[in-house]
Amino acid sequence: MILKDPGQFRILTGDRPTGRLHLGHYFGTLHNRVRLQDLGVEMFVIIPDYQVLTDRDVADNLTWHVEELVLDYLAIGVDPARSTVFTHSALPSLNQLMLPFLSLVSVAELNRNPTVKDEIAHSRQSAVSGLMLTYPVHQAADILSCKANLVPVGQDQLPHLELTRTIARRFNDRYGNGTAVFPQPEALLSSAPLLLGTDGTKMSKSRGNAIALAATADETARLLKGAKTDAERHITYDPVNRPEVSSLLLLAALCQGRTPQEVASDIGAAGAAALKKTVTEAVNEYLAPIRARRAEYADDRAHLRRTLREGNERARAVADATLAEVRAAMNSHY
């Protein structure tokens, strides 16, 4: 349907500004955003700066983190003329939608959300704030403020999207007077490959096991040299029994446009050192043009701020119009 008529879709996606984006983000979602943008889908990319506070006391170095995200977006090919990049804090009307939306869900429903329970369990705090409990409703406000009808998600994010659909449906039933104020957004399920970090666990900003898009070629080589493998010399692609080796093979394959099996066949009995050399060369060659563009944009911080300011203005106009519709539906225009 996207290929047939991309203009009928509006997508909301984004990343929390808690650190530089890495290869897991890139092959998981970022490159697909650019593909969808280039196909003609209307793209809204939110930088949810308020949601940084869901699992931490303060948002440290927030301006730097936000600008770094914008840098990464521009470097990979996000086009501000076709994709609207904006922040939570710049859209009062988006955040104001939280209040009526919260009235449409019960505390029990929020407590049952499996993603929230998992986030709380893995929180770095001894006690979490109320924002953690309600952030799926905040995400619903993100999506519905711009009336997105398609949201790229992984399997673990489906409960959040289902809550968004529930809120849209309940608002329409309660206040719509026979018309649908909000669409019920569909999931664009990702078939993103799972890339492990250099320590063999999930690649993550906070674990120090990721290769950032902003990393230099030397930093990339150093990180991959220390990547976990196994004791078996012959290199084979076996994600179940050899997850660390297989993840490295997959990374090289993604960068080279080949299959992991082909990469493994080329390395054969040459061992882990040859595997790491192959992956390092593949990653550095793939990221070279992205890093070059990033360096150019990094020299013009005013351009970054202008990109964000213009995106905020466009997104604010859309969210303001949505809030006006909500007020009209709820008979709260005074």
Side-chain angles (χ1 to χ4, degrees), residues 199-283:
D199 61 355
T201 66
K202 180 181 177 181
M203 192 176 289
S204 169
K205 298 176 192 173
S206 60
R207 295 180 182 178
N209 66 356
I211 297 168
L213 299 181
T216 66
D218 287 344
E219 288 170 337
T220 300
R222 177 179 56 78
L223 288 166
L224 287 170
K225 185 176 181 180
K228 185 178 179 181
T229 54
D230 59 32
E232 188 174 338
R233 183 168 181 80
H234 194 89
I235 301 301
T236 57
Y237 184 66
D238 184 355
V240 174
N241 298 307
R242 307 185 71 186
E244 297 90 357
V245 166
S246 296
S247 181
L248 289 171
L249 288 167
L250 177 59
L251 177 54
L254 289 167
C255 291
Q256 294 176 343
R258 306 168 70 200
T259 68
Q261 291 86 350
E262 289 172 334
V263 179
S265 178
D266 284 352
I267 299 169
L275 169 62
K276 292 177 183 181
K277 181 175 183 293
T278 297
V279 178
T280 299
E281 291 173 353
V283 169

XYZ file of all heavy atoms in Angstrom, residues 199-283:
611
model
N 29.880 -6.588 23.565
C 30.010 -7.501 24.709
C 29.089 -8.705 24.604
O 28.999 -9.511 25.531
C 29.736 -6.753 26.018
C 28.324 -6.165 26.068
O 27.597 -6.257 25.046
O 27.953 -5.604 27.109
N 28.388 -8.825 23.477
C 27.508 -9.969 23.273
C 26.108 -9.787 23.815
O 25.278 -10.685 23.675
N 25.810 -8.629 24.437
C 24.455 -8.342 24.907
C 23.806 -7.341 23.952
O 24.424 -6.890 22.983
C 24.455 -7.778 26.339
O 25.090 -6.484 26.334
C 25.209 -8.702 27.284
N 22.562 -6.993 24.228
C 21.832 -6.065 23.367
C 22.612 -4.761 23.197
O 23.096 -4.182 24.156
C 20.458 -5.761 23.972
C 19.620 -4.798 23.139
C 18.290 -4.521 23.811
C 17.477 -3.505 23.011
N 16.179 -3.184 23.663
N 22.732 -4.300 21.940
C 23.430 -3.053 21.676
C 22.641 -1.902 22.278
O 21.448 -1.748 22.029
C 23.613 -2.848 20.166
C 24.572 -1.722 19.815
S 24.882 -1.559 18.030
C 25.879 -3.022 17.708
N 23.296 -1.087 23.090
C 22.594 -0.053 23.836
C 23.505 1.139 24.078
O 24.709 0.985 24.302
C 22.113 -0.605 25.177
O 21.646 0.414 26.026
N 22.908 2.347 24.041
C 23.676 3.556 24.347
C 24.285 3.478 25.745
O 25.430 3.850 25.967
C 22.756 4.781 24.317
C 22.080 5.095 23.009
C 21.140 6.286 23.229
C 20.210 6.516 22.084
N 19.203 7.550 22.376
N 23.473 2.994 26.701
C 23.871 3.076 28.109
C 24.874 2.006 28.519
O 25.481 2.107 29.577
C 22.627 2.978 28.999
O 21.959 1.743 28.788
N 25.060 0.976 27.715
C 25.944 -0.121 28.101
C 27.370 0.036 27.589
O 28.238 -0.793 27.885
C 25.372 -1.453 27.606
C 24.047 -1.821 28.263
C 23.502 -3.134 27.758
N 22.214 -3.453 28.364
C 21.486 -4.523 28.079
N 21.931 -5.406 27.198
N 20.319 -4.728 28.655
N 27.615 1.057 26.796
C 28.959 1.277 26.283
C 29.429 0.184 25.343
O 30.636 -0.032 25.188
N 28.488 -0.511 24.699
C 28.851 -1.633 23.826
C 28.453 -1.398 22.379
O 28.395 -2.330 21.583
C 28.192 -2.919 24.335
C 26.665 -2.871 24.235
O 26.084 -1.850 23.856
N 26.025 -3.973 24.579
N 28.158 -0.129 22.043
C 27.642 0.184 20.717
C 28.657 0.977 19.907
O 29.503 1.680 20.462
C 26.344 0.987 20.845
N 28.543 0.873 18.599
C 29.373 1.663 17.695
C 28.514 2.816 17.196
O 27.577 2.636 16.418
C 29.875 0.813 16.522
C 30.761 -0.321 17.046
C 30.652 1.669 15.526
C 31.077 -1.379 16.027
N 28.818 4.011 17.687
C 28.035 5.189 17.318
C 28.280 5.563 15.861
O 29.365 5.342 15.320
C 28.403 6.358 18.224
N 27.248 6.133 15.243
C 27.424 6.624 13.874
C 28.504 7.702 13.831
O 29.162 7.880 12.810
C 26.099 7.196 13.348
C 24.922 6.232 13.266
C 23.689 6.936 12.712
C 25.251 5.010 12.419
N 28.677 8.398 14.947
C 29.671 9.469 15.019
C 31.071 8.975 15.340
O 32.021 9.759 15.341
C 29.245 10.491 16.077
N 31.235 7.682 15.621
C 32.559 7.161 15.976
C 33.520 7.304 14.803
O 33.132 7.211 13.637
C 32.445 5.691 16.370
N 34.791 7.523 15.105
C 35.799 7.586 14.050
C 36.143 6.175 13.584
O 35.785 5.175 14.220
C 37.076 8.269 14.560
O 37.668 7.430 15.572
C 36.785 9.639 15.134
N 36.870 6.104 12.475
C 37.302 4.801 11.970
C 38.184 4.096 12.995
O 38.079 2.874 13.189
C 38.045 4.974 10.649
N 39.058 4.851 13.672
C 39.942 4.244 14.677
C 39.146 3.753 15.887
O 39.432 2.670 16.426
C 40.994 5.254 15.132
C 42.058 5.501 14.069
O 42.149 4.684 13.132
O 42.777 6.513 14.169
N 38.179 4.547 16.333
C 37.331 4.116 17.450
C 36.565 2.851 17.089
O 36.438 1.933 17.907
C 36.349 5.234 17.826
C 36.985 6.419 18.514
C 36.028 7.584 18.656
O 35.055 7.673 17.875
O 36.251 8.417 19.550
N 36.055 2.802 15.860
C 35.335 1.620 15.400
C 36.236 0.395 15.414
O 35.839 -0.687 15.879
C 34.791 1.859 13.978
O 33.909 2.981 14.001
C 34.051 0.637 13.456
N 37.456 0.549 14.924
C 38.406 -0.563 14.908
C 38.714 -1.044 16.324
O 38.787 -2.256 16.589
C 39.687 -0.141 14.195
N 38.897 -0.093 17.245
C 39.208 -0.466 18.627
C 38.036 -1.214 19.269
O 38.231 -2.234 19.943
C 39.524 0.789 19.436
C 39.794 0.520 20.926
C 40.133 1.800 21.662
N 39.105 2.814 21.509
C 37.948 2.816 22.189
N 37.679 1.854 23.065
N 37.069 3.782 22.014
N 36.827 -0.729 19.053
C 35.653 -1.376 19.639
C 35.453 -2.784 19.081
O 35.159 -3.733 19.814
C 34.403 -0.526 19.382
C 34.305 0.768 20.194
C 33.231 1.683 19.615
C 33.998 0.444 21.655
N 35.622 -2.926 17.773
C 35.417 -4.239 17.160
C 36.549 -5.206 17.503
O 36.328 -6.420 17.576
C 35.274 -4.092 15.646
C 33.940 -3.489 15.190
C 33.970 -3.151 13.705
C 32.790 -4.460 15.500
N 37.736 -4.691 17.726
C 38.840 -5.568 18.137
C 38.535 -6.236 19.467
O 38.924 -7.389 19.715
C 40.130 -4.754 18.234
C 41.357 -5.593 18.541
C 42.628 -4.751 18.540
C 43.854 -5.619 18.817
N 45.105 -4.798 18.824
N 37.803 -5.529 20.338
C 37.455 -6.092 21.636
C 36.122 -6.817 21.664
O 35.666 -7.234 22.734
N 35.498 -6.991 20.498
C 34.191 -7.638 20.456
C 34.279 -9.107 20.873
O 35.247 -9.811 20.557
C 33.597 -7.533 19.049
N 33.264 -9.544 21.557
C 33.214 -10.926 22.031
C 32.947 -11.879 20.867
O 32.091 -11.620 20.022
C 32.114 -11.065 23.079
C 32.044 -12.426 23.744
C 30.953 -12.446 24.813
C 30.856 -13.822 25.472
N 29.767 -13.857 26.493
N 33.689 -12.991 20.840
C 33.420 -14.042 19.848
C 33.299 -15.370 20.594
O 32.625 -15.437 21.612
C 34.516 -14.083 18.767
O 35.802 -14.206 19.399
C 34.486 -12.822 17.908
N 33.939 -16.443 20.107
C 33.951 -17.716 20.826
C 35.243 -18.452 20.488
O 36.099 -17.938 19.760
C 32.701 -18.556 20.514
C 32.537 -18.877 19.030
O 33.554 -19.028 18.333
O 31.382 -18.973 18.564
N 35.385 -19.653 21.029
C 36.657 -20.378 20.909
C 36.793 -21.155 19.603
O 37.881 -21.631 19.268
C 36.815 -21.337 22.091
N 35.713 -21.299 18.855
C 35.761 -22.106 17.630
C 36.404 -21.296 16.503
O 35.970 -20.175 16.205
C 34.346 -22.537 17.242
C 34.314 -23.541 16.104
C 32.917 -24.059 15.831
O 32.060 -23.988 16.741
O 32.673 -24.523 14.702
N 37.410 -21.849 15.860
C 38.176 -21.095 14.858
C 37.416 -20.938 13.547
O 37.422 -19.861 12.948
C 39.530 -21.773 14.600
C 40.384 -20.985 13.615
C 41.817 -21.454 13.569
N 42.592 -20.657 12.626
C 43.090 -19.454 12.898
N 42.906 -18.918 14.084
N 43.789 -18.782 11.986
N 36.768 -21.992 13.095
C 36.074 -21.924 11.803
C 34.827 -21.036 11.943
O 33.988 -21.257 12.820
C 35.673 -23.322 11.319
C 35.265 -23.334 9.878
N 36.159 -23.524 8.859
C 34.052 -23.148 9.284
C 35.533 -23.472 7.700
N 34.251 -23.253 7.934
N 34.711 -20.046 11.089
C 33.629 -19.062 11.200
C 32.397 -19.553 10.447
O 32.462 -19.840 9.233
C 34.084 -17.698 10.648
C 35.304 -17.193 11.429
C 32.947 -16.682 10.699
C 35.066 -17.026 12.920
N 31.297 -19.648 11.163
C 30.024 -20.052 10.570
C 28.915 -19.145 11.089
O 29.021 -18.569 12.172
C 29.668 -21.505 10.931
O 29.627 -21.630 12.367
C 30.679 -22.482 10.352
N 27.854 -19.040 10.283
C 26.696 -18.238 10.693
C 25.684 -19.160 11.362
O 25.033 -19.971 10.714
C 26.069 -17.543 9.478
C 24.913 -16.628 9.858
C 25.121 -15.487 10.614
C 23.605 -16.930 9.460
C 24.082 -14.644 10.960
C 22.556 -16.092 9.797
C 22.794 -14.950 10.555
O 21.753 -14.132 10.903
N 25.567 -19.043 12.675
C 24.685 -19.891 13.471
C 24.156 -19.049 14.641
O 24.695 -19.093 15.749
C 25.463 -21.112 13.982
C 24.581 -22.087 14.750
O 23.395 -21.775 14.975
O 25.088 -23.168 15.136
N 23.092 -18.247 14.407
C 22.611 -17.311 15.431
C 22.224 -17.954 16.753
O 22.356 -17.333 17.809
C 21.389 -16.660 14.766
C 21.620 -16.828 13.303
C 22.336 -18.135 13.155
N 21.780 -19.217 16.719
C 21.347 -19.876 17.950
C 22.543 -20.287 18.792
O 22.613 -20.004 19.997
C 20.459 -21.098 17.623
C 20.133 -21.861 18.906
C 19.177 -20.645 16.932
N 23.495 -20.963 18.178
C 24.619 -21.522 18.931
C 25.848 -20.613 18.979
O 26.703 -20.779 19.853
C 25.009 -22.876 18.322
C 23.877 -23.886 18.421
O 23.342 -24.127 19.504
N 23.502 -24.474 17.288
N 25.931 -19.668 18.036
C 27.082 -18.766 18.001
C 26.588 -17.322 17.816
O 26.856 -16.676 16.788
C 28.035 -19.157 16.863
C 28.470 -20.618 16.888
C 29.497 -20.898 15.809
N 30.791 -20.283 16.120
C 31.838 -20.285 15.287
N 31.733 -20.852 14.083
N 32.968 -19.724 15.633
N 25.871 -16.797 18.795
C 25.223 -15.494 18.609
C 26.197 -14.342 18.381
O 25.928 -13.454 17.553
C 24.433 -15.302 19.912
C 25.077 -16.219 20.903
C 25.563 -17.383 20.110
N 27.332 -14.319 19.102
C 28.252 -13.197 18.968
C 28.921 -13.187 17.590
O 28.988 -12.153 16.927
C 29.326 -13.248 20.068
C 28.774 -13.125 21.483
C 28.429 -14.475 22.107
O 28.577 -15.500 21.400
O 28.025 -14.489 23.284
N 29.411 -14.350 17.168
C 30.025 -14.461 15.838
C 28.996 -14.137 14.758
O 29.280 -13.406 13.801
C 30.610 -15.871 15.636
C 30.946 -16.121 14.164
C 31.850 -16.064 16.502
N 27.790 -14.639 14.935
C 26.746 -14.429 13.925
C 26.342 -12.972 13.826
O 26.048 -12.463 12.742
C 25.524 -15.304 14.245
O 25.872 -16.677 14.168
N 26.330 -12.268 14.956
C 25.994 -10.851 14.927
C 27.047 -10.052 14.161
O 26.718 -9.140 13.390
C 25.855 -10.314 16.352
O 25.497 -8.947 16.346
N 28.300 -10.392 14.352
C 29.364 -9.719 13.600
C 29.259 -10.018 12.105
O 29.433 -9.123 11.269
C 30.728 -10.156 14.130
C 31.103 -9.636 15.517
C 32.375 -10.313 16.018
C 31.277 -8.119 15.507
N 28.963 -11.254 11.774
C 28.771 -11.612 10.364
C 27.595 -10.843 9.762
O 27.665 -10.363 8.626
C 28.530 -13.119 10.228
C 29.735 -14.029 10.450
C 29.286 -15.481 10.590
C 30.732 -13.894 9.284
N 26.520 -10.720 10.525
C 25.346 -9.994 10.050
C 25.678 -8.526 9.818
O 25.258 -7.922 8.824
C 24.209 -10.132 11.059
C 22.914 -9.375 10.746
C 22.332 -9.806 9.409
C 21.900 -9.580 11.867
N 26.441 -7.940 10.716
C 26.820 -6.538 10.577
C 27.637 -6.319 9.303
O 27.375 -5.382 8.534
C 27.611 -6.090 11.809
C 28.143 -4.655 11.805
C 27.033 -3.659 11.552
C 28.856 -4.360 13.120
N 28.605 -7.180 9.071
C 29.390 -7.068 7.837
C 28.510 -7.245 6.612
O 28.637 -6.509 5.619
C 30.516 -8.103 7.837
N 27.602 -8.206 6.683
C 26.724 -8.484 5.545
C 25.813 -7.295 5.240
O 25.607 -6.938 4.076
C 25.890 -9.728 5.837
N 25.265 -6.659 6.268
C 24.409 -5.498 6.061
C 25.171 -4.360 5.400
O 24.646 -3.661 4.530
C 23.834 -5.027 7.404
C 22.769 -5.928 8.043
C 22.526 -5.513 9.492
C 21.468 -5.873 7.246
N 26.414 -4.188 5.808
C 27.228 -3.116 5.239
C 27.652 -3.417 3.805
O 27.838 -2.499 2.995
C 28.474 -2.883 6.095
S 28.132 -2.176 7.722
N 27.808 -4.693 3.486
C 28.295 -5.080 2.155
C 27.178 -5.441 1.183
O 27.439 -5.668 0.002
C 29.255 -6.274 2.286
C 30.547 -5.949 3.014
C 31.418 -7.182 3.204
O 30.965 -8.324 3.082
N 32.700 -6.950 3.493
N 25.931 -5.518 1.673
C 24.828 -5.919 0.806
C 24.898 -7.380 0.410
O 24.531 -7.753 -0.713
N 25.382 -8.215 1.328
C 25.508 -9.655 1.083
C 24.764 -10.410 2.167
O 24.140 -9.810 3.050
C 26.995 -10.058 1.088
C 27.853 -9.267 0.139
C 29.328 -9.508 0.409
N 29.756 -10.852 0.038
C 30.842 -11.439 0.506
N 31.609 -10.815 1.389
N 31.171 -12.648 0.103
N 24.843 -11.737 2.140
C 24.257 -12.547 3.202
C 25.337 -12.890 4.220
O 26.539 -12.950 3.877
C 23.663 -13.859 2.656
O 24.731 -14.707 2.197
C 22.682 -13.587 1.525
N 24.956 -13.122 5.473
C 25.949 -13.527 6.478
C 26.660 -14.814 6.106
O 27.844 -14.994 6.413
C 25.111 -13.691 7.750
C 23.864 -12.931 7.511
C 23.613 -12.981 6.045
N 25.926 -15.708 5.454
C 26.535 -16.979 5.056
C 27.672 -16.762 4.049
O 28.709 -17.444 4.102
C 25.464 -17.904 4.457
C 24.437 -18.412 5.459
C 23.267 -17.447 5.662
O 23.303 -16.297 5.198
N 22.236 -17.917 6.348
N 27.473 -15.797 3.149
C 28.528 -15.511 2.166
C 29.769 -14.940 2.845
O 30.902 -15.313 2.495
C 27.999 -14.523 1.118
C 26.984 -15.124 0.166
C 26.334 -14.081 -0.716
O 26.261 -12.892 -0.312
O 25.873 -14.463 -1.815
N 29.550 -14.061 3.807
C 30.684 -13.491 4.534
C 31.418 -14.587 5.300
O 32.651 -14.661 5.285
C 30.215 -12.386 5.498
C 31.409 -11.813 6.274
C 29.499 -11.272 4.748
N 30.667 -15.464 5.960
C 31.272 -16.565 6.719
C 32.079 -17.483 5.820
O 33.181 -17.932 6.176
C 30.184 -17.348 7.444
N 31.543 -17.757 4.629
C 32.232 -18.646 3.688
C 33.573 -18.051 3.257
O 34.563 -18.781 3.107
C 31.342 -18.892 2.474
O 32.000 -19.713 1.535
N 33.607 -16.736 3.075
C 34.854 -16.091 2.674
C 35.918 -16.187 3.770
O 37.106 -16.337 3.481
C 34.606 -14.612 2.356
C 33.924 -14.418 1.016
O 33.782 -15.407 0.269
O 33.510 -13.276 0.737
N 35.496 -16.101 5.025
C 36.447 -16.113 6.145
C 36.884 -17.535 6.472
O 38.066 -17.811 6.704
C 35.830 -15.428 7.387
C 35.507 -13.971 7.066
C 36.776 -15.524 8.581
C 34.677 -13.281 8.115
N 35.923 -18.449 6.506
C 36.226 -19.857 6.733
C 37.020 -20.116 8.002
O 36.628 -19.706 9.094
N 38.187 -20.748 7.848
C 38.999 -21.151 9.000
C 40.005 -20.084 9.423
O 40.900 -20.351 10.237
C 39.737 -22.449 8.670
N 39.862 -18.867 8.898
C 40.834 -17.817 9.218
C 40.667 -17.288 10.637
O 41.541 -16.581 11.153
C 40.734 -16.673 8.211
N 39.521 -17.578 11.261
C 39.366 -17.267 12.674
C 38.794 -15.896 12.992
O 38.452 -15.103 12.120
N 38.715 -15.638 14.316
C 38.065 -14.431 14.818
C 38.781 -13.158 14.388
O 38.153 -12.133 14.137
C 37.957 -14.486 16.344
N 40.113 -13.202 14.311
C 40.856 -12.001 13.921
C 40.477 -11.568 12.507
O 40.282 -10.378 12.230
C 42.357 -12.250 14.018
N 40.371 -12.552 11.611
C 39.976 -12.238 10.232
C 38.532 -11.741 10.181
O 38.203 -10.839 9.392
C 40.144 -13.469 9.350
N 37.684 -12.319 11.018
C 36.287 -11.874 11.087
C 36.217 -10.408 11.504
O 35.532 -9.594 10.874
C 35.506 -12.746 12.069
C 34.104 -12.254 12.447
C 33.197 -12.188 11.229
C 33.496 -13.158 13.526
N 36.946 -10.061 12.559
C 36.905 -8.683 13.057
C 37.496 -7.711 12.030
O 37.011 -6.591 11.886
C 37.639 -8.594 14.386
C 36.928 -9.335 15.512
C 37.722 -9.283 16.815
C 37.032 -10.083 17.911
N 37.777 -10.027 19.188
N 38.514 -8.141 11.318
C 39.102 -7.294 10.277
C 38.090 -7.041 9.165
O 37.923 -5.909 8.694
C 40.362 -7.957 9.719
C 41.090 -7.148 8.641
C 42.384 -7.839 8.248
C 43.181 -7.020 7.236
N 42.506 -6.934 5.930
N 37.390 -8.092 8.769
C 36.372 -7.970 7.718
C 35.258 -7.025 8.144
O 34.825 -6.152 7.380
C 35.784 -9.357 7.398
O 36.810 -10.202 6.870
C 34.647 -9.252 6.383
N 34.786 -7.194 9.380
C 33.695 -6.355 9.879
C 34.143 -4.897 9.983
O 33.412 -3.974 9.585
C 33.189 -6.860 11.246
C 32.097 -5.955 11.778
C 32.678 -8.286 11.144
N 35.339 -4.682 10.498
C 35.855 -3.314 10.651
C 35.935 -2.612 9.305
O 35.501 -1.452 9.162
C 37.241 -3.338 11.321
O 37.128 -3.927 12.609
C 37.802 -1.934 11.445
N 36.480 -3.280 8.314
C 36.594 -2.676 6.984
C 35.222 -2.402 6.384
O 35.003 -1.339 5.776
C 37.409 -3.591 6.058
C 38.887 -3.677 6.436
C 39.642 -4.719 5.629
O 38.985 -5.464 4.861
O 40.888 -4.778 5.762
N 34.291 -3.335 6.562
C 32.949 -3.164 6.009
C 32.223 -1.989 6.658
O 31.605 -1.160 5.975
C 32.145 -4.448 6.188
N 32.307 -1.904 7.983
C 31.621 -0.831 8.713
C 32.218 0.521 8.362
O 31.497 1.486 8.068
C 31.676 -1.078 10.235
C 31.212 0.163 11.002
C 30.824 -2.279 10.606
